mmCIF file of all heavy atoms in Angstrom:
data_model
loop_
_atom_site.group_PDB
_atom_site.id
_atom_site.type_symbol
_atom_site.label_atom_id
_atom_site.label_comp_id
_atom_site.label_asym_id
_atom_site.label_seq_id
_atom_site.Cartn_x
_atom_site.Cartn_y
_atom_site.Cartn_z
ATOM 1 N N ASP A 462 9.952 1.408 -29.679
ATOM 2 C CA ASP A 462 9.671 2.824 -29.878
ATOM 3 C C ASP A 462 10.913 3.693 -29.663
ATOM 4 O O ASP A 462 11.057 4.735 -30.322
ATOM 5 C CB ASP A 462 8.575 3.288 -28.911
ATOM 6 C CG ASP A 462 7.202 2.770 -29.295
ATOM 7 O OD1 ASP A 462 7.024 2.357 -30.456
ATOM 8 O OD2 ASP A 462 6.316 2.770 -28.413
ATOM 9 N N LEU A 463 11.793 3.285 -28.750
ATOM 10 C CA LEU A 463 12.856 4.181 -28.299
ATOM 11 C C LEU A 463 14.237 3.876 -28.869
ATOM 12 O O LEU A 463 15.119 4.738 -28.794
ATOM 13 C CB LEU A 463 12.922 4.155 -26.759
ATOM 14 C CG LEU A 463 11.670 4.654 -26.024
ATOM 15 C CD1 LEU A 463 11.820 4.469 -24.518
ATOM 16 C CD2 LEU A 463 11.402 6.121 -26.341
ATOM 17 N N THR A 464 14.454 2.683 -29.385
ATOM 18 C CA THR A 464 15.777 2.381 -29.942
ATOM 19 C C THR A 464 15.938 3.018 -31.314
ATOM 20 O O THR A 464 14.967 3.391 -31.980
ATOM 21 C CB THR A 464 15.984 0.860 -30.069
ATOM 22 O OG1 THR A 464 14.855 0.269 -30.731
ATOM 23 C CG2 THR A 464 16.170 0.211 -28.707
ATOM 24 N N HIS A 465 17.184 3.150 -31.720
ATOM 25 C CA HIS A 465 17.475 3.711 -33.034
ATOM 26 C C HIS A 465 16.873 2.842 -34.131
ATOM 27 O O HIS A 465 16.715 1.629 -33.970
ATOM 28 C CB HIS A 465 18.980 3.810 -33.241
ATOM 29 C CG HIS A 465 19.638 4.786 -32.312
ATOM 30 N ND1 HIS A 465 21.004 4.856 -32.139
ATOM 31 C CD2 HIS A 465 19.117 5.739 -31.485
ATOM 32 C CE1 HIS A 465 21.295 5.798 -31.265
ATOM 33 N NE2 HIS A 465 20.173 6.332 -30.849
ATOM 34 N N GLN A 466 16.584 3.451 -35.239
ATOM 35 C CA GLN A 466 15.964 2.726 -36.350
ATOM 36 C C GLN A 466 16.818 1.560 -36.817
ATOM 37 O O GLN A 466 16.316 0.513 -37.222
ATOM 38 C CB GLN A 466 15.698 3.689 -37.509
ATOM 39 C CG GLN A 466 14.913 3.075 -38.656
ATOM 40 C CD GLN A 466 14.556 4.098 -39.719
ATOM 41 O OE1 GLN A 466 14.890 5.277 -39.585
ATOM 42 N NE2 GLN A 466 13.890 3.657 -40.776
ATOM 43 N N GLU A 467 18.152 1.739 -36.746
ATOM 44 C CA GLU A 467 19.049 0.694 -37.229
ATOM 45 C C GLU A 467 19.303 -0.412 -36.201
ATOM 46 O O GLU A 467 19.945 -1.423 -36.498
ATOM 47 C CB GLU A 467 20.392 1.291 -37.661
ATOM 48 C CG GLU A 467 21.102 2.093 -36.587
ATOM 49 C CD GLU A 467 20.703 3.571 -36.588
ATOM 50 O OE1 GLU A 467 19.625 3.894 -37.133
ATOM 51 O OE2 GLU A 467 21.467 4.386 -36.037
ATOM 52 N N THR A 468 18.804 -0.235 -34.963
ATOM 53 C CA THR A 468 18.978 -1.268 -33.947
ATOM 54 C C THR A 468 18.029 -2.433 -34.235
ATOM 55 O O THR A 468 16.832 -2.241 -34.439
ATOM 56 C CB THR A 468 18.701 -0.711 -32.543
ATOM 57 O OG1 THR A 468 19.614 0.348 -32.266
ATOM 58 C CG2 THR A 468 18.861 -1.800 -31.483
ATOM 59 N N GLU A 469 18.577 -3.635 -34.238
ATOM 60 C CA GLU A 469 17.786 -4.831 -34.533
ATOM 61 C C GLU A 469 17.353 -5.479 -33.227
ATOM 62 O O GLU A 469 18.180 -5.804 -32.366
ATOM 63 C CB GLU A 469 18.623 -5.814 -35.351
ATOM 64 C CG GLU A 469 17.892 -7.100 -35.699
ATOM 65 C CD GLU A 469 18.785 -8.087 -36.441
ATOM 66 O OE1 GLU A 469 19.905 -7.697 -36.836
ATOM 67 O OE2 GLU A 469 18.369 -9.249 -36.602
ATOM 68 N N LEU A 470 16.039 -5.665 -33.077
ATOM 69 C CA LEU A 470 15.494 -6.317 -31.894
ATOM 70 C C LEU A 470 15.000 -7.707 -32.255
ATOM 71 O O LEU A 470 14.264 -7.884 -33.228
ATOM 72 C CB LEU A 470 14.340 -5.505 -31.310
ATOM 73 C CG LEU A 470 14.661 -4.107 -30.763
ATOM 74 C CD1 LEU A 470 13.399 -3.458 -30.216
ATOM 75 C CD2 LEU A 470 15.725 -4.166 -29.680
ATOM 76 N N ARG A 471 15.431 -8.698 -31.475
ATOM 77 C CA ARG A 471 14.963 -10.068 -31.643
ATOM 78 C C ARG A 471 14.172 -10.449 -30.398
ATOM 79 O O ARG A 471 14.657 -10.281 -29.282
ATOM 80 C CB ARG A 471 16.136 -11.038 -31.821
ATOM 81 C CG ARG A 471 16.952 -10.841 -33.094
ATOM 82 C CD ARG A 471 18.066 -11.889 -33.138
ATOM 83 N NE ARG A 471 18.748 -11.903 -34.420
ATOM 84 C CZ ARG A 471 19.842 -11.193 -34.698
ATOM 85 N NH1 ARG A 471 20.360 -10.410 -33.756
ATOM 86 N NH2 ARG A 471 20.409 -11.262 -35.878
ATOM 87 N N TYR A 472 12.974 -10.978 -30.591
ATOM 88 C CA TYR A 472 12.132 -11.333 -29.449
ATOM 89 C C TYR A 472 11.878 -12.833 -29.398
ATOM 90 O O TYR A 472 11.604 -13.477 -30.419
ATOM 91 C CB TYR A 472 10.781 -10.614 -29.519
ATOM 92 C CG TYR A 472 9.742 -11.237 -28.619
ATOM 93 C CD1 TYR A 472 9.855 -11.134 -27.225
ATOM 94 C CD2 TYR A 472 8.661 -11.949 -29.146
ATOM 95 C CE1 TYR A 472 8.913 -11.728 -26.397
ATOM 96 C CE2 TYR A 472 7.716 -12.539 -28.322
ATOM 97 C CZ TYR A 472 7.849 -12.436 -26.942
ATOM 98 O OH TYR A 472 6.930 -13.019 -26.114
ATOM 99 N N ALA A 473 11.955 -13.387 -28.189
ATOM 100 C CA ALA A 473 11.524 -14.763 -27.926
ATOM 101 C C ALA A 473 11.072 -14.828 -26.471
ATOM 102 O O ALA A 473 11.779 -14.357 -25.569
ATOM 103 C CB ALA A 473 12.649 -15.762 -28.179
ATOM 104 N N GLN A 474 9.908 -15.414 -26.240
ATOM 105 C CA GLN A 474 9.390 -15.493 -24.871
ATOM 106 C C GLN A 474 10.242 -16.436 -24.027
ATOM 107 O O GLN A 474 10.502 -16.172 -22.854
ATOM 108 C CB GLN A 474 7.944 -15.963 -24.879
ATOM 109 C CG GLN A 474 7.353 -16.108 -23.484
ATOM 110 C CD GLN A 474 5.888 -16.508 -23.496
ATOM 111 O OE1 GLN A 474 5.169 -16.201 -24.427
ATOM 112 N NE2 GLN A 474 5.452 -17.219 -22.456
#
Side-chain angles (χ1 to χ4, degrees):
D462 287 342
L463 297 175
T464 50
H465 294 167
Q466 186 174 359
E467 56 271 21
T468 299
E469 179 183 351
L470 296 180
R471 295 181 171 92
Y472 163 70
Q474 178 177 332

